[in-house]
Amino acid sequence: MVARTYSATLAGVNAVEVEIESHDGGGNPRMCIVGLPDVAVRESRERVVAAIASCGYAMNEGVTTVNLAPADLRKEGSGFDLPIAVSLIAHRVKIPIATLAETAMIGELALNGDLRPVRGLLAVALEARSRGRSRLLVPKRAAAEASVVAGIDIVGVAHLREVVDYLKGDIELPPEPCRAAENLAAAAVYDTDFADVKGQHDARRAVEVAVAGGHNLLMVGPPGTGKSMIAKRIATIMPGMGEEEAIEATKIHSAAGLLGEGRSFVATRPFRPPHHTISDAGLLGGGSNPGPGEVSLAHHGVLFLDELPEFRRSTLEVLRQPLEDGRVTISRAAGSVTFPASFMLVAAMNPCPCGYQGDPQRACRCSGTTVQKYRQRISGPLLDRIDLHLEVPRVDPRALTQAAPGETSAAIRARVEQARAVQAARFRGSRGIHTNSQMTPRLIKRHCELDTEGAAFLEHQMGELNFSARAHDRILKVARTLADLKGLDRIDADSVLEAVNYRTLDRNLWS
């Protein structure tokens, strides 16, 4: 007799439904799992057999074949324990076939039948809903993660026997209430604020401009000037996450196994600060069955690269695709996987290896050749993709002790949201374009109209500073954001001047 249950496996950050079929045959007792299972799925034989025996259910005394369909899709993880166990005992305990057809399930089994959480529950819930399943059974300890998905009953279960009794109709288990709005409101709280930053008025202004237009930012300055402190607070002035953005970010973190009982929902903008020793795969994602990397974990948030020249040059160069396209495609022999990777890049570096070139208080010990080699670790093409270059000088110690608290994140965010609203209206109907930084050349030509004085000034600066064509477009995008913050329809000369000042750093450092 064949019994069928339904579950799902992760393919990147999305889930793909898997049908579990079990067949009882004769011969010497053994269980065979087919359908491209990985090691964790093959080992489920021992866990499933022990859990079924612990719960007092009988199994086939001959050959049992378990098929995971589609057979050409690799299955991984311990989440198939529960659906395999239910398929093996379904006809013996008389679970209605119609109930099994309406139900998806996932969970790892302990040897005594207890259910343990697995990663990717949110993606599995979304896939089960799209397949028309009316309910999803998940480990009770992780039910809150999947409960943000509306349109499907999420039922938390703690033990294999409880699952069987529920499917037979012997007990009632209430579904988890849909908590998307509730979790979003409760978790959207930051523990940092821009009011903590004293001094650095130019840096605060540049950060506001960068966030308002979705521009990438590079901060250059000696150690201890507050570059990391500022970067950690950038997410707090970004517009609040909508429900759709929060669910997408949560799905990525769930697929990476970064959610737990104390954190089941991502409601604040992600801030990811990978160490400079990170590998290409760690940054972009990878593995035999590719998982998300840091650029995807920063989706809808901030990727902060501190000590930028210390990263391997090859690692930095792989950032080009996500910076341009907002996604990462990883190809393997079995196929390719695409991960979302729309983030704001914030980088920080010292002006030289010792960090004190240009510092009025400490002398630089680096030779000219050493400084040049240090700066050339960052390629011109990557630098061109960073819209704002900012010098962050040392703060006067008196400002740290005497200055009043700075402007709060809430006040800055209000201006940012107002500028973003202008951009939303401007790009309504433009597919995939939401901020000024995403403008194509055609949109730049349409929306970046300069007044007479601004056009003349930009033409002069392009000749004087020998900017690239890409830098020209970046200047126009930043100038458009500056004009939006002022509420101007046409870009004025002051906005062009400030935008050019944010690009001259590459001339000062790399010329």
Side-chain angles (χ1 to χ4, degrees):
M1 183 174 181
V2 176
R4 291 183 176 87
T5 56
Y6 299 91
S7 189
T9 189
L10 289 178
V13 297
N14 297 312
V16 179
E17 185 173 80
V18 174
E19 182 180 308
I20 297 93
E21 302 173 304
S22 65
H23 175 265
D24 292 345
N28 295 326
R30 66 186 179 91
M31 182 165 57
C32 178
I33 300 178
V34 298
L36 285 183
D38 73 345
V39 175
V41 180
R42 290 197 297 270
E43 289 181 347
S44 68
R45 290 176 297 192
E46 283 69 29
R47 293 192 298 271
V48 167
V49 170
I52 290 175
S54 297
C55 295
Y57 300 118
M59 280 189 59
N60 178 40
E61 296 181 355
V63 177
T64 300
T65 302
V66 176
N67 179 44
L68 309 178
D72 61 347
L73 176 68
R74 184 170 178 81
K75 323 301 186 306
E76 71 164 13
S78 56
F80 291 104
D81 289 4
L82 177 59
I84 289 175
V86 172
S87 72
L88 293 176
I89 61 177
H91 64 278
R92 290 181 173 82
V93 298
K94 296 182 172 55
I95 298 176
I97 295 176
T99 301
L100 292 178
E102 296 172 350
T103 306
M105 58 190 77
I106 188 170
E108 177 184 328
L109 283 172
L111 299 185
N112 64 353
D114 286 340
L115 281 170
R116 293 171 175 159
V118 295
R119 63 189 180 93
L121 289 182
L122 181 55
V124 172
L126 292 169
E127 173 68 2
R129 183 183 65 181
S130 71
R131 294 283 184 164
R133 310 297 168 197
S134 61
R135 68 184 70 87
L136 172 67
L137 305 186
V138 300
K140 192 171 186 64
R141 287 157 51 190
E145 177 186 330
S147 68
V148 299
V149 180
I152 184 173
D153 289 341
I154 306 298
V155 181
V157 286
H159 195 272
L160 176 59
R161 181 172 287 279
E162 189 177 31
V163 172
V164 173
D165 291 342
Y166 173 75
L167 293 175
K168 287 169 58 180
D170 294 342
I171 62 173
E172 291 286 337
L173 293 175
E176 295 286 324
C178 183
R179 297 191 178 98
E182 174 187 337
N183 289 346
L184 186 62
V189 178
Y190 295 93
D191 56 4
T192 57
D193 196 283
F194 253 99
D196 303 329
V197 180
K198 295 184 178 181
Q200 299 296 11
H201 300 293
D202 291 341
R204 293 165 64 96
R205 166 65 174 175
V207 166
E208 179 180 338
V209 173
V211 175
H215 304 287
N216 301 318
L217 172 69
L218 170 63
M219 295 182 285
V220 183
T225 57
K227 299 185 297 295
S228 297
M229 182 180 185
I230 292 170
K232 291 176 182 177
R233 285 155 176 78
I234 289 178
T236 68
I237 66 171
M238 300 177 78
M241 292 185 78
E243 188 173 312
E244 184 177 338
E245 287 181 321
I247 289 177
E248 190 172 10
T250 302
K251 184 171 69 172
I252 296 170
H253 284 70
S254 174
L258 298 181
L259 300 183
E261 295 181 48
R263 182 175 182 256
S264 59
F265 198 62
V266 178
T268 55
R269 298 283 176 181
F271 177 81
R272 302 295 302 182
H275 193 262
H276 61 76
T277 57
I278 192 171
S279 65
D280 296 8
L283 191 62
L284 284 189
S288 55
N289 188 12
E294 290 293 335
V295 295
S296 295
L297 294 171
H299 186 56
H300 294 318
V302 176
L303 178 69
F304 177 51
L305 304 183
D306 200 7
E307 305 293 345
L308 185 66
E310 301 298 334
F311 285 80
R312 287 190 292 271
R313 183 158 180 154
S314 62
T315 302
L316 293 178
E317 292 307 301
V318 300
L319 286 173
R320 292 192 193 182
Q321 183 201 4
L323 285 175
E324 290 291 334
D325 303 334
R327 61 181 182 273
V328 171
T329 300
I330 299 174
S331 298
R332 295 289 184 268
S336 63
V337 177
T338 298
F339 298 102
S342 179
F343 57 89
M344 176 181 172
L345 174 63
V346 178
M349 61 175 286
N350 297 327
C352 65
C354 78
Y356 295 106
Q357 187 182 60
D359 192 303
Q361 298 183 11
R362 298 189 61 171
C364 175
R365 304 187 304 270
C366 305
S367 67
T369 302
T370 302
V371 173
Q372 193 67 14
K373 286 183 178 179
Y374 177 75
R375 295 169 178 172
Q376 286 178 348
R377 294 179 188 176
I378 306 171
S379 69
L382 177 62
L383 196 66
D384 268 347
R385 287 168 170 81
I386 301 177
D387 300 348
L388 284 79
H389 311 154
L390 174 70
E391 289 187 273
V392 184
R394 185 179 298 278
V395 180
D396 186 340
R398 289 174 295 182
L400 299 177
T401 57
Q402 300 175 7
E407 193 175 21
T408 65
S409 293
I412 303 172
R413 185 168 60 247
R415 295 195 296 270
V416 167
E417 289 178 340
Q418 188 174 13
R420 288 286 185 100
V422 172
Q423 294 167 58
R426 174 182 299 133
F427 302 125
R428 187 176 293 117
S430 298
R431 186 175 180 182
I433 306 295
H434 306 288
T435 61
N436 290 332
S437 65
Q438 299 171 319
M439 281 192 290
T440 63
R442 180 175 58 84
L443 291 176
I444 291 174
K445 187 174 182 180
R446 179 189 302 174
H447 297 299
C448 295
E449 183 181 359
L450 299 164
D451 63 17
T452 304
E453 186 179 353
F457 180 78
L458 179 58
E459 183 178 352
H460 174 73
Q461 291 299 308
M462 290 297 297
E464 283 287 316
L465 299 176
N466 194 28
F467 285 128
S468 67
R470 180 180 283 114
H472 173 269
D473 287 351
R474 301 281 176 180
I475 289 171
L476 285 177
K477 292 178 182 180
V478 174
R480 178 67 270 172
T481 300
L482 289 162
D484 290 342
L485 287 168
K486 298 176 184 177
L488 301 177
D489 293 330
R490 300 178 68 186
I491 300 172
D492 62 341
D494 288 342
S495 297
V496 175
L497 173 61
E498 187 173 353
V500 168
N501 286 336
Y502 290 135
R503 293 298 306 184
T504 54
L505 192 59
D506 56 353
R507 305 305 306 169
N508 293 337
L509 289 181
W510 276 264
S511 60

